[in-house]
PDB file of all heavy atoms in Angstrom:
ATOM      1  N   GLY A  41      42.013   1.658  -5.684  1.00 90.00           N
ATOM      2  CA  GLY A  41      40.831   2.510  -5.774  1.00 90.00           C
ATOM      3  C   GLY A  41      39.520   1.779  -5.590  1.00 90.00           C
ATOM      4  O   GLY A  41      38.535   2.356  -5.138  1.00 90.00           O
ATOM      5  N   SER A  42      39.477   0.497  -5.917  1.00 92.00           N
ATOM      6  CA  SER A  42      38.194  -0.225  -5.859  1.00 92.00           C
ATOM      7  C   SER A  42      38.035  -1.099  -4.620  1.00 92.00           C
ATOM      8  O   SER A  42      36.918  -1.444  -4.250  1.00 92.00           O
ATOM      9  CB  SER A  42      38.021  -1.089  -7.114  1.00 92.00           C
ATOM     10  OG  SER A  42      39.007  -2.092  -7.173  1.00 92.00           O
ATOM     11  N   VAL A  43      39.133  -1.448  -3.975  1.00 91.00           N
ATOM     12  CA  VAL A  43      39.036  -2.386  -2.851  1.00 91.00           C
ATOM     13  C   VAL A  43      38.366  -1.801  -1.602  1.00 91.00           C
ATOM     14  O   VAL A  43      37.743  -2.555  -0.851  1.00 91.00           O
ATOM     15  CB  VAL A  43      40.417  -3.010  -2.526  1.00 91.00           C
ATOM     16  CG1 VAL A  43      41.262  -2.079  -1.677  1.00 91.00           C
ATOM     17  CG2 VAL A  43      40.249  -4.360  -1.876  1.00 91.00           C
ATOM     18  N   PRO A  44      38.420  -0.494  -1.323  1.00 92.00           N
ATOM     19  CA  PRO A  44      37.788  -0.014  -0.082  1.00 92.00           C
ATOM     20  C   PRO A  44      36.301  -0.343   0.025  1.00 92.00           C
ATOM     21  O   PRO A  44      35.838  -0.768   1.089  1.00 92.00           O
ATOM     22  CB  PRO A  44      38.014   1.500  -0.119  1.00 92.00           C
ATOM     23  CG  PRO A  44      39.256   1.653  -0.902  1.00 92.00           C
ATOM     24  CD  PRO A  44      39.176   0.580  -1.973  1.00 92.00           C
ATOM     25  N   PHE A  45      35.559  -0.181  -1.044  1.00 92.00           N
ATOM     26  CA  PHE A  45      34.119  -0.447  -0.982  1.00 92.00           C
ATOM     27  C   PHE A  45      33.850  -1.907  -0.638  1.00 92.00           C
ATOM     28  O   PHE A  45      33.104  -2.223   0.292  1.00 92.00           O
ATOM     29  CB  PHE A  45      33.461  -0.080  -2.306  1.00 92.00           C
ATOM     30  CG  PHE A  45      31.979  -0.323  -2.310  1.00 92.00           C
ATOM     31  CD1 PHE A  45      31.118   0.511  -1.610  1.00 92.00           C
ATOM     32  CD2 PHE A  45      31.431  -1.396  -2.994  1.00 92.00           C
ATOM     33  CE1 PHE A  45      29.749   0.284  -1.591  1.00 92.00           C
ATOM     34  CE2 PHE A  45      30.063  -1.629  -2.985  1.00 92.00           C
ATOM     35  CZ  PHE A  45      29.229  -0.786  -2.279  1.00 92.00           C
ATOM     36  N   ALA A  46      34.472  -2.815  -1.369  1.00 92.00           N
ATOM     37  CA  ALA A  46      34.253  -4.252  -1.131  1.00 92.00           C
ATOM     38  C   ALA A  46      34.764  -4.664   0.240  1.00 92.00           C
ATOM     39  O   ALA A  46      34.117  -5.433   0.952  1.00 92.00           O
ATOM     40  CB  ALA A  46      34.925  -5.069  -2.226  1.00 92.00           C
ATOM     41  N   SER A  47      35.925  -4.170   0.621  1.00 94.00           N
ATOM     42  CA  SER A  47      36.517  -4.599   1.893  1.00 94.00           C
ATOM     43  C   SER A  47      35.766  -4.033   3.096  1.00 94.00           C
ATOM     44  O   SER A  47      35.671  -4.694   4.133  1.00 94.00           O
ATOM     45  CB  SER A  47      37.998  -4.225   1.957  1.00 94.00           C
ATOM     46  OG  SER A  47      38.158  -2.818   1.924  1.00 94.00           O
ATOM     47  N   GLU A  48      35.221  -2.816   2.983  1.00 94.00           N
ATOM     48  CA  GLU A  48      34.429  -2.274   4.092  1.00 94.00           C
ATOM     49  C   GLU A  48      33.171  -3.108   4.307  1.00 94.00           C
ATOM     50  O   GLU A  48      32.809  -3.418   5.435  1.00 94.00           O
ATOM     51  CB  GLU A  48      34.077  -0.812   3.836  1.00 94.00           C
ATOM     52  CG  GLU A  48      35.260   0.110   4.022  1.00 94.00           C
ATOM     53  CD  GLU A  48      34.958   1.545   3.661  1.00 94.00           C
ATOM     54  OE1 GLU A  48      33.761   1.944   3.678  1.00 94.00           O
ATOM     55  OE2 GLU A  48      35.910   2.275   3.359  1.00 94.00           O
ATOM     56  N   TYR A  49      32.521  -3.462   3.231  1.00 93.00           N
ATOM     57  CA  TYR A  49      31.331  -4.309   3.323  1.00 93.00           C
ATOM     58  C   TYR A  49      31.691  -5.656   3.959  1.00 93.00           C
ATOM     59  O   TYR A  49      31.050  -6.095   4.917  1.00 93.00           O
ATOM     60  CB  TYR A  49      30.739  -4.500   1.927  1.00 93.00           C
ATOM     61  CG  TYR A  49      29.549  -5.427   1.903  1.00 93.00           C
ATOM     62  CD1 TYR A  49      28.292  -4.984   2.285  1.00 93.00           C
ATOM     63  CD2 TYR A  49      29.688  -6.754   1.509  1.00 93.00           C
ATOM     64  CE1 TYR A  49      27.196  -5.827   2.270  1.00 93.00           C
ATOM     65  CE2 TYR A  49      28.598  -7.610   1.493  1.00 93.00           C
ATOM     66  CZ  TYR A  49      27.359  -7.144   1.866  1.00 93.00           C
ATOM     67  OH  TYR A  49      26.283  -7.990   1.858  1.00 93.00           O
ATOM     68  N   ASP A  50      32.722  -6.304   3.448  1.00 94.00           N
ATOM     69  CA  ASP A  50      33.144  -7.595   3.994  1.00 94.00           C
ATOM     70  C   ASP A  50      33.589  -7.459   5.448  1.00 94.00           C
ATOM     71  O   ASP A  50      33.319  -8.339   6.276  1.00 94.00           O
ATOM     72  CB  ASP A  50      34.263  -8.203   3.152  1.00 94.00           C
ATOM     73  CG  ASP A  50      33.784  -8.693   1.796  1.00 94.00           C
ATOM     74  OD1 ASP A  50      32.562  -8.909   1.633  1.00 94.00           O
ATOM     75  OD2 ASP A  50      34.635  -8.857   0.900  1.00 94.00           O
ATOM     76  N   GLY A  51      34.260  -6.354   5.755  1.00 93.00           N
ATOM     77  CA  GLY A  51      34.705  -6.128   7.132  1.00 93.00           C
ATOM     78  C   GLY A  51      33.545  -5.992   8.100  1.00 93.00           C
ATOM     79  O   GLY A  51      33.557  -6.572   9.190  1.00 93.00           O
ATOM     80  N   LEU A  52      32.538  -5.240   7.714  1.00 94.00           N
ATOM     81  CA  LEU A  52      31.363  -5.089   8.581  1.00 94.00           C
ATOM     82  C   LEU A  52      30.631  -6.415   8.754  1.00 94.00           C
ATOM     83  O   LEU A  52      30.180  -6.744   9.861  1.00 94.00           O
ATOM     84  CB  LEU A  52      30.427  -4.017   8.026  1.00 94.00           C
ATOM     85  CG  LEU A  52      30.926  -2.586   8.170  1.00 94.00           C
ATOM     86  CD1 LEU A  52      30.030  -1.627   7.391  1.00 94.00           C
ATOM     87  CD2 LEU A  52      30.995  -2.182   9.639  1.00 94.00           C
ATOM     88  N   ARG A  53      30.516  -7.176   7.695  1.00 93.00           N
ATOM     89  CA  ARG A  53      29.878  -8.504   7.810  1.00 93.00           C
ATOM     90  C   ARG A  53      30.685  -9.408   8.745  1.00 93.00           C
ATOM     91  O   ARG A  53      30.119 -10.201   9.492  1.00 93.00           O
ATOM     92  CB  ARG A  53      29.707  -9.144   6.443  1.00 93.00           C
ATOM     93  CG  ARG A  53      28.583  -8.488   5.643  1.00 93.00           C
ATOM     94  CD  ARG A  53      28.282  -9.256   4.391  1.00 93.00           C
ATOM     95  NE  ARG A  53      27.772 -10.565   4.708  1.00 93.00           N
ATOM     96  CZ  ARG A  53      26.501 -10.933   4.557  1.00 93.00           C
ATOM     97  NH1 ARG A  53      25.634 -10.086   4.107  1.00 93.00           N
ATOM     98  NH2 ARG A  53      26.127 -12.154   4.841  1.00 93.00           N
ATOM     99  N   PHE A  54      32.003  -9.308   8.690  1.00 93.00           N
ATOM    100  CA  PHE A  54      32.862 -10.112   9.564  1.00 93.00           C
ATOM    101  C   PHE A  54      32.716  -9.673  11.022  1.00 93.00           C
ATOM    102  O   PHE A  54      32.524 -10.493  11.911  1.00 93.00           O
ATOM    103  CB  PHE A  54      34.329  -9.997   9.121  1.00 93.00           C
ATOM    104  CG  PHE A  54      35.290 -10.649  10.065  1.00 93.00           C
ATOM    105  CD1 PHE A  54      35.393 -12.028  10.126  1.00 93.00           C
ATOM    106  CD2 PHE A  54      36.083  -9.889  10.905  1.00 93.00           C
ATOM    107  CE1 PHE A  54      36.265 -12.642  11.001  1.00 93.00           C
ATOM    108  CE2 PHE A  54      36.958 -10.492  11.791  1.00 93.00           C
ATOM    109  CZ  PHE A  54      37.055 -11.870  11.840  1.00 93.00           C
ATOM    110  N   ILE A  55      32.802  -8.373  11.257  1.00 91.00           N
ATOM    111  CA  ILE A  55      32.726  -7.855  12.630  1.00 91.00           C
ATOM    112  C   ILE A  55      31.372  -8.175  13.263  1.00 91.00           C
ATOM    113  O   ILE A  55      31.288  -8.553  14.422  1.00 91.00           O
ATOM    114  CB  ILE A  55      32.976  -6.328  12.646  1.00 91.00           C
ATOM    115  CG1 ILE A  55      34.435  -6.039  12.281  1.00 91.00           C
ATOM    116  CG2 ILE A  55      32.636  -5.729  13.998  1.00 91.00           C
ATOM    117  CD1 ILE A  55      34.707  -4.577  11.970  1.00 91.00           C
ATOM    118  N   PHE A  56      30.311  -8.029  12.476  1.00 92.00           N
ATOM    119  CA  PHE A  56      28.957  -8.224  13.010  1.00 92.00           C
ATOM    120  C   PHE A  56      28.346  -9.542  12.530  1.00 92.00           C
ATOM    121  O   PHE A  56      27.135  -9.646  12.341  1.00 92.00           O
ATOM    122  CB  PHE A  56      28.067  -7.038  12.621  1.00 92.00           C
ATOM    123  CG  PHE A  56      28.548  -5.730  13.197  1.00 92.00           C
ATOM    124  CD1 PHE A  56      29.197  -4.814  12.396  1.00 92.00           C
ATOM    125  CD2 PHE A  56      28.381  -5.446  14.533  1.00 92.00           C
ATOM    126  CE1 PHE A  56      29.659  -3.611  12.921  1.00 92.00           C
ATOM    127  CE2 PHE A  56      28.832  -4.257  15.077  1.00 92.00           C
ATOM    128  CZ  PHE A  56      29.486  -3.334  14.264  1.00 92.00           C
ATOM    129  N   ASP A  57      29.164 -10.558  12.406  1.00 92.00           N
ATOM    130  CA  ASP A  57      28.685 -11.856  11.917  1.00 92.00           C
ATOM    131  C   ASP A  57      27.608 -12.467  12.811  1.00 92.00           C
ATOM    132  O   ASP A  57      26.810 -13.275  12.366  1.00 92.00           O
ATOM    133  CB  ASP A  57      29.844 -12.837  11.730  1.00 92.00           C
ATOM    134  CG  ASP A  57      30.538 -13.197  13.035  1.00 92.00           C
ATOM    135  OD1 ASP A  57      30.408 -12.451  14.026  1.00 92.00           O
ATOM    136  OD2 ASP A  57      31.233 -14.230  13.054  1.00 92.00           O
ATOM    137  N   TYR A  58      27.541 -12.064  14.044  1.00 91.00           N
ATOM    138  CA  TYR A  58      26.569 -12.592  15.002  1.00 91.00           C
ATOM    139  C   TYR A  58      25.199 -11.918  14.864  1.00 91.00           C
ATOM    140  O   TYR A  58      24.225 -12.387  15.441  1.00 91.00           O
ATOM    141  CB  TYR A  58      27.078 -12.366  16.436  1.00 91.00           C
ATOM    142  CG  TYR A  58      27.375 -10.917  16.722  1.00 91.00           C
ATOM    143  CD1 TYR A  58      26.370 -10.057  17.155  1.00 91.00           C
ATOM    144  CD2 TYR A  58      28.647 -10.386  16.528  1.00 91.00           C
ATOM    145  CE1 TYR A  58      26.625  -8.724  17.386  1.00 91.00           C
ATOM    146  CE2 TYR A  58      28.911  -9.053  16.768  1.00 91.00           C
ATOM    147  CZ  TYR A  58      27.896  -8.234  17.199  1.00 91.00           C
ATOM    148  OH  TYR A  58      28.159  -6.909  17.423  1.00 91.00           O
ATOM    149  N   TYR A  59      25.107 -10.833  14.145  1.00 92.00           N
ATOM    150  CA  TYR A  59      23.886 -10.044  14.150  1.00 92.00           C
ATOM    151  C   TYR A  59      22.758 -10.617  13.294  1.00 92.00           C
ATOM    152  O   TYR A  59      21.587 -10.396  13.572  1.00 92.00           O
ATOM    153  CB  TYR A  59      24.179  -8.605  13.702  1.00 92.00           C
ATOM    154  CG  TYR A  59      23.086  -7.653  14.132  1.00 92.00           C
ATOM    155  CD1 TYR A  59      23.073  -7.123  15.405  1.00 92.00           C
ATOM    156  CD2 TYR A  59      22.049  -7.316  13.271  1.00 92.00           C
ATOM    157  CE1 TYR A  59      22.073  -6.269  15.817  1.00 92.00           C
ATOM    158  CE2 TYR A  59      21.040  -6.464  13.676  1.00 92.00           C
ATOM    159  CZ  TYR A  59      21.058  -5.946  14.952  1.00 92.00           C
ATOM    160  OH  TYR A  59      20.057  -5.120  15.355  1.00 92.00           O
ATOM    161  N   ARG A  60      23.104 -11.368  12.287  1.00 92.00           N
ATOM    162  CA  ARG A  60      22.073 -11.895  11.390  1.00 92.00           C
ATOM    163  C   ARG A  60      21.178 -12.887  12.124  1.00 92.00           C
ATOM    164  O   ARG A  60      21.654 -13.810  12.770  1.00 92.00           O
ATOM    165  CB  ARG A  60      22.722 -12.581  10.186  1.00 92.00           C
ATOM    166  CG  ARG A  60      21.680 -13.068   9.219  1.00 92.00           C
ATOM    167  CD  ARG A  60      22.293 -13.537   7.921  1.00 92.00           C
ATOM    168  NE  ARG A  60      21.231 -13.932   7.028  1.00 92.00           N
ATOM    169  CZ  ARG A  60      21.266 -15.011   6.301  1.00 92.00           C
ATOM    170  NH1 ARG A  60      22.324 -15.781   6.306  1.00 92.00           N
ATOM    171  NH2 ARG A  60      20.252 -15.314   5.534  1.00 92.00           N
ATOM    172  N   LEU A  61      19.901 -12.704  11.988  1.00 93.00           N
ATOM    173  CA  LEU A  61      18.901 -13.574  12.608  1.00 93.00           C
ATOM    174  C   LEU A  61      18.244 -14.396  11.512  1.00 93.00           C
ATOM    175  O   LEU A  61      17.685 -13.835  10.572  1.00 93.00           O
ATOM    176  CB  LEU A  61      17.852 -12.736  13.340  1.00 93.00           C
ATOM    177  CG  LEU A  61      16.659 -13.475  13.932  1.00 93.00           C
ATOM    178  CD1 LEU A  61      17.096 -14.501  14.962  1.00 93.00           C
ATOM    179  CD2 LEU A  61      15.693 -12.490  14.558  1.00 93.00           C
TER     180      LEU A  61
END
Side-chain angles (χ1 to χ4, degrees):
S42 64
V43 81
F45 180 73
S47 64
E48 286 175 23
Y49 177 79
D50 289 340
L52 288 171
R53 286 189 65 107
F54 173 74
I55 291 167
F56 298 104
D57 65 340
Y58 56 86
Y59 200 83
R60 183 170 182 224
L61 174 60

